[in-house]
Amino acid sequence: MASNVYRNGTGSHKGAMRPLAASNSSNVKSSSFKSRIPPSSNHSPGSAPLRRSNSAGGSDGVPGRVRVAVRLRPRNAEESVADADFADCVELQPELKRLKLRKNNWDSETYEFDEVLTEFASQKRVYEVVAKPVVESVLDGYNGTVMAYGQTGTGKTFTLGRLGEEDTSARGIMVRSMEEILANVSPETDSVSVSYLQLYMESIQDLLDPANDNISIVEDPKTGDVSLPGATHVEVRDERDFMELLRTGEAHRIAANTKLNTESSRSHAILMVHVKRSVLGAEDVIPSETDKSSHFAKPPKPLVRKSKLVLVDLAGSERVHKSGSEGHMLEEAKSINLSLSALGKCINALAENSAHVPVRDSKLTRLLRDSFGGTARTSLIVTIGPSPRHRGETTSTILFGQRAMKVENMLRIKEEFDYKSLSRKLEIQLDKLIAENERQQKVFDDEVERINLEALNRVSEVERNFAGALEKERLKCQMEYMESVKKLEEKMIENQQKQGCDGVMQDKCNGEGPGSSIVEDVAEVKKLLEKEIHMRKEAQEEVNKLKSQLGQCPDSGEGGGSEILKLQKALADEVRQKKKLEEEMIILRSQMLQLTFEADQMRRCLGRNGSANAYGGLDSPMSQVRDSLNGHKTPVAALFEQVGLQKILALLESEDANVRIHAVKVVANLAAEEANQERIVEAGGLTSLLVLLRSYEDENIRRVVAGAIANLAMNETNQELIMIQGGINLLSVTASRAEDPQTLRMVAGAIANLCGNDKLQTKLRSEGGIKALLGMARCGQPDVLSQVARGIANFAKCESRASTNGIKSGRSVLIDDGALPWIVQNANNDSSPIRRHIELALCHLAQH
Ligand code: ADP
Ligand code: MG
């Protein structure tokens, strides 16, 4: 702090305390004290810079100094008479703000003050130069003090406390200050309250409530604020209220003094005006996180400024020196003046910037702790009388004033957050935000619901479309498939009939007819297959589409979850359908395989036109298959490759009876080719076929299975495998139960093949193979009989071979099993294949 600038006096520390000698007057700096005081301290209303501190009792402050004015009382009537021949002890130079104190006729001392007020100074002027800057400060939120110091009868009360009821121009500083304060506060937001106290013999009395005695002073250890919670605080709304209060206070003061048998001049009168004003802090603007264009303006901080104006009409200063002179005991007098002398000591300490200021020494200094010097704006008016008789008092008063001028202060504003009003405002804002939030939430919820609904509609629409398309497709496939099956069955029957009457066929095979029709069929099935592939592709695309739609479906909480479940279900259905379609495709391919196979047969049959009977071979009813090894097996092989053996075998276990039967048919046809037999057996086809034979009641399946086993039984290794896996038993059981000649033909064919294996003779017979074979002759159907005969011939051949090799001796087991009568009986059968097989059997038997 540039303390020098604000120090009292002439700018030099030495001269500050010392009166300016008249001879030294040329040394007096011409600059007025006004210029040395910060602008805030001597300017008109509103001009005081308003320092805002961020918190109550902030560290920012306005440096300043206690301002001191001297006021001379005019001679009173008594003095005019008594001192008529004497000049006044002081001479004022108000324009220079100087006061000359005459020591004698030729010597005087000059003192400089902030204001020098002559005996002609009006009350208004006194107020304006002494109190107004302080009052303005108080209105701005600073604490302020105006004190009157001087000898009794010099005009302290006149200056401070005159009510001016008859003559408004006579109104003193108290009334004028209140007028100014009341004129500047707003009744809605601000409040002004007043306490009026008397300090006498270190006891504080409430002048507004005389019963309220010995009020204690409370100091806030944090802020240093001094308060009198025990004192009466009266809210003041207008001047009338205040005048009433002052009158009451004055009356109580007189009464109290009468009671105490003292004079008002022995006590200090203290008027405390508490001003509470609401102000708004700076607005904080916080950029919104989401919206950069809009700003969320925090409401300005509501602040409350609390300030205090203390007007002190001090006890007469003469008491310090003249104690006891009025009849009081010395100690009592000391007590009376304790506060005043303590004030003097404090002012001295403050003036000298002493580290220790004895504020705690008296009630007055404790009371003025936050209002004199320090952080408050302070004005002191020292009153003097003109009488040379009181020169001593006058001198001491002047010196008191001079010392006070050196007291520096640092104004601090007292600002507090108005938490109540802030909380009210925030609550209102919060309510608004809550309402807004609720509105937005509703809009959001509606939107979510709408999207959910839309998504559900879309999903169900897709599901509907898809299910419809799928069903259509399925029906179409089914129908096409049924048709193909029908055609194939017709074709098969036709073929079988042709096999039965090869002579007729030879006549018909002229390059047109059935051959070309099969080619057409193959082409048709190929077309079907292509269509099927195309449909499968479409189905796959649809599935993908659904999957991607599922992925696009907005996540909509629980609704979304159920949608996803639905879609997953649809997807699972889809996968099932796809599997079914695939199965159907395999079946179609199998059918095509079969057709191709039949076409091959037909082609070969036509090729052999006029030559040997295609089905007349002695070895097997499936001997044609062997021929095909040398023929056009490419389409069959190609299809076989396309579908894959494993898939076909897997279909043997399909739940769908249709699928099973077709799979068996395909396996049977494949098994007709030697090249495939090994692979079928390796892939477990033989085992699957035997299982089927065991577990299925369906005659159709058994028939085809038996056919397939018959085909596989052409190979020696397979024959052994069939035996090991209990095939002969199964075939025997099937033989005994079957009614259908076709089934019997296949079973007989299979056993006949087994009969041709030398190693299996014993087992075959012991497990009832021969009996089963002979038993099938009951059917009488030539194809069956032919196979029975072939079996007997094969068996007889092996027996005779064994006999020739010396492995076997004794009678033929065929004879033991009663085959001979049947052989003899059928030796002249109409069917040449039967006849031929029987002839062969008889031949071997004879050899044996
Ligand atoms: P104090 O309070 O200092 O003891 P008072 O204010 O009671 O002195 O004044 C004593 C007397 O002098 C009163 O009658 C008062 O009217 C008168 N008086 C004081 N100052 C002036 C003044 N400036 N002009 C006229 N009369 C004054
Ligand atoms: Mg007085």
Side-chain angles (χ1 to χ4, degrees), residues 71-74 76 118-121 123 150-159 162 264-265 313-314 316 383:
R71 186 181 195 186
L72 178 65
R73 172 179 54 73
N76 56 29
T118 67
E119 62 269 43
F120 310 110
Q123 289 283 72
Q151 194 184 351
T152 301
T154 51
K156 296 186 292 297
T157 308
F158 183 90
T159 303
R162 276 199 76 172
S264 64
S265 62
D313 184 355
L314 291 165
T383 55

Side-chain angles (χ1 to χ4, degrees), residues 618 793 796-797 835-845:
L618 276 175
K797 182 178 79 187
R835 274 201 318 275
R836 249 178 284 155
H837 288 307
I838 287 185
E839 277 164 16
L840 209 57
L842 281 171
C843 208
H844 288 306
L845 278 173

Side-chain angles (χ1 to χ4, degrees), residues 97-310:
K97 300 186 191 298
R98 283 183 196 164
L99 174 148
K100 274 187 182 174
L101 179 65
R102 287 201 185 91
K103 282 174 155 180
N104 46 49
N105 280 342
W106 61 92
D107 196 11
S108 65
E109 280 166 346
T110 303
Y111 298 93
E112 216 168 56
F113 283 94
D114 292 315
E115 289 297 337
V116 170
L117 301 158
T118 67
E119 62 269 43
F120 310 110
S122 67
Q123 289 283 72
K124 184 171 190 240
R125 187 169 140 64
V126 172
Y127 169 74
E128 277 172 356
V129 298
V130 174
K132 195 176 166 109
V134 179
V135 171
E136 282 166 356
S137 269
V138 169
L139 284 167
D140 281 345
Y142 303 94
N143 283 352
T145 304
V146 178
M147 283 197 298
Y149 180 94
Q151 194 184 351
T152 301
T154 51
K156 296 186 292 297
T157 308
F158 183 90
T159 303
L160 274 177
R162 276 199 76 172
L163 298 183
E165 282 172 302
E166 308 85 33
D167 176 8
T168 48
S169 71
R171 286 169 302 157
I173 285 172
M174 286 180 178
V175 178
R176 287 176 196 267
S177 301
M178 276 313 286
E179 275 176 353
E180 178 122 27
I181 288 170
L182 290 171
N184 280 284
V185 296
S186 147
E188 290 84 34
T189 55
D190 307 337
S191 75
V192 180
S193 69
V194 161
S195 303
Y196 199 11
L197 311 149
Q198 174 172 266
L199 176 62
Y200 177 66
M201 284 186 67
E202 291 306 285
S203 162
I204 300 171
Q205 297 148 18
D206 194 340
L207 289 179
L208 300 178
D209 178 12
N212 196 6
D213 213 345
N214 206 7
I215 296 165
S216 47
I217 300 167
V218 174
E219 287 164 63
D220 187 324
K222 259 197 213 157
T223 60
D225 286 349
V226 178
S227 62
L228 299 169
T232 309
H233 290 256
V234 178
E235 188 113 347
V236 175
R237 298 194 177 280
D238 53 32
E239 207 189 320
R240 261 212 339 253
D241 284 357
F242 175 67
M243 295 297 267
E244 193 56 45
L245 276 180
L246 276 191
R247 270 196 295 271
T248 312
E250 201 50 47
H252 286 150
R253 195 181 183 195
I254 292 162
N257 290 340
T258 311
K259 199 172 139 197
L260 292 165
N261 193 23
T262 183
E263 295 169 24
S264 64
S265 62
R266 289 179 188 168
S267 67
H268 312 280
I270 303 154
L271 181 78
M272 283 183 152
V273 185
H274 298 273
V275 180
K276 211 194 275 184
R277 301 189 77 183
S278 294
V279 287
L280 291 182
E283 284 187 9
D284 293 339
V285 176
I286 300 164
S288 149
E289 267 175 43
T290 48
D291 185 5
K292 279 183 181 141
S293 62
S294 76
H295 287 76
F296 176 73
K298 251 172 78 175
K301 282 185 233 155
L303 299 171
V304 170
R305 282 194 195 151
K306 287 180 181 172
S307 54
K308 183 166 70 170
L309 174 65
V310 185

